Amino acid sequence: MFVADRLAHAEPGVGLDVASGEGRNSLWLAARGWKMTAVDFSEVAIERGRAVSDEVDFVVADVLQWEPEERYDLALIAYLHLPGENMRQAIERVASWLRPGGELFLIGHDESNIDQGHGGPQSPEILTRVEDTVEWLDDLEIVEAQVVRRPVETDEGRVYARDALIRARRPE
Ligand SMILES: C[S@@+](CC[C@H](N)C(=O)[O-])C[C@H]1O[C@@H](n2cnc3c(N)ncnc32)[C@H](O)[C@@H]1O
């Protein structure tokens, strides 16, 4: 929902969806004119994405090892949760693949979701911390960095999960 909210009116360009799963965000962006590559190390997820659309370039790869040939206007990391050092590596690698003016868009379960939110992973060491993530992006300009509430409908009514949303741009 945050991708749609923030990027519905963005000028389409060349985009990368890291840890894309079946590519729901890539498919949404491709439908809006983006030329998308979706990367995930799950062959099952990537095959499912390919079965839905040939508009997205689906790639099976580990983000900690893969080297793209392209540079990107947008690099999306949605709900990728790795232990701290691996997450830092992944984020720094992805940030280095941005074109000047390109945006890193990261959304993940915030660490405060365990006590104050709903659902999601319950291991603090893999949850997102806004301040740490911002520190890892010190050569980018921060566009937005905050904890956001995501509505979740349950049998008991609507509750709110807490996500970390960080958007950062490579200077021109
Ligand atoms: C919770 S899913 C999120 C999928 C998608 N981004 C979304 O928001 O719907 C996390 C995904 O990260 C992928 N993943 C985890 N570690 C990865 C890695 N090192 N390289 C590539 N994909 C990875 C998993 O296979 C899984 O599809």
Side-chain angles (χ1 to χ4, degrees):
M1 73 174 255
F2 298 110
V3 173
D5 180 60
R6 301 308 199 268
L7 299 178
H9 304 295
E11 184 68 25
V14 180
L16 175 68
D17 183 4
V18 170
S20 62
E22 298 175 24
R24 65 185 173 120
N25 288 310
S26 285
L27 296 168
W28 186 87
L29 287 160
R32 279 151 190 84
W34 287 83
K35 176 178 175 285
M36 291 303 298
T37 299
V39 180
D40 198 289
F41 68 10
S42 163
E43 285 186 25
V44 173
I46 290 296
E47 277 311 318
R48 287 194 181 139
R50 285 182 182 141
V52 173
S53 171
D54 55 11
E55 294 290 307
V56 172
D57 183 15
F58 282 99
V59 178
V60 178
D62 184 335
V63 64
L64 296 172
Q65 316 236 320
W66 185 64
E67 291 292 345
E69 286 167 14
E70 187 75 82
R71 290 294 177 261
Y72 300 96
D73 301 304
L74 172 70
L76 173 66
I77 307 177
Y79 304 103
L80 171 65
H81 290 280
L82 302 173
E85 185 55 22
N86 285 348
M87 195 64 195
R88 185 183 66 77
Q89 269 179 38
I91 288 173
E92 288 179 355
R93 301 189 91 229
V94 174
S96 76
W97 303 335
L98 291 171
R99 293 177 175 168
E103 176 175 321
L104 178 78
F105 189 120
L106 184 140
I107 182 93
H109 302 283
D110 186 69
E111 63 168 351
S112 65
N113 189 59
I114 294 181
D115 294 333
Q116 301 167 48
H118 175 81
Q122 298 295 306
S123 312
E125 63 276 11
I126 62 166
L127 294 182
T128 308
R129 300 224 304 244
V130 173
E131 318 80 67
D132 289 356
T133 309
V134 164
E135 251 180 51
W136 299 336
L137 296 172
D138 59 355
D139 56 344
L140 304 189
E141 292 164 355
I142 301 300
V143 176
E144 179 175 359
Q146 61 174 326
V147 177
V148 286
R149 296 197 319 158
R150 174 170 44 83
V152 181
E153 303 303 333
T154 72
D155 292 343
E156 284 79 45
R158 178 174 297 177
V159 295
Y160 290 89
R162 291 172 66 84
D163 289 347
L165 172 57
I166 295 111
R167 299 170 61 203
R169 196 165 293 139
R170 177 162 298 293
E172 296 279 356

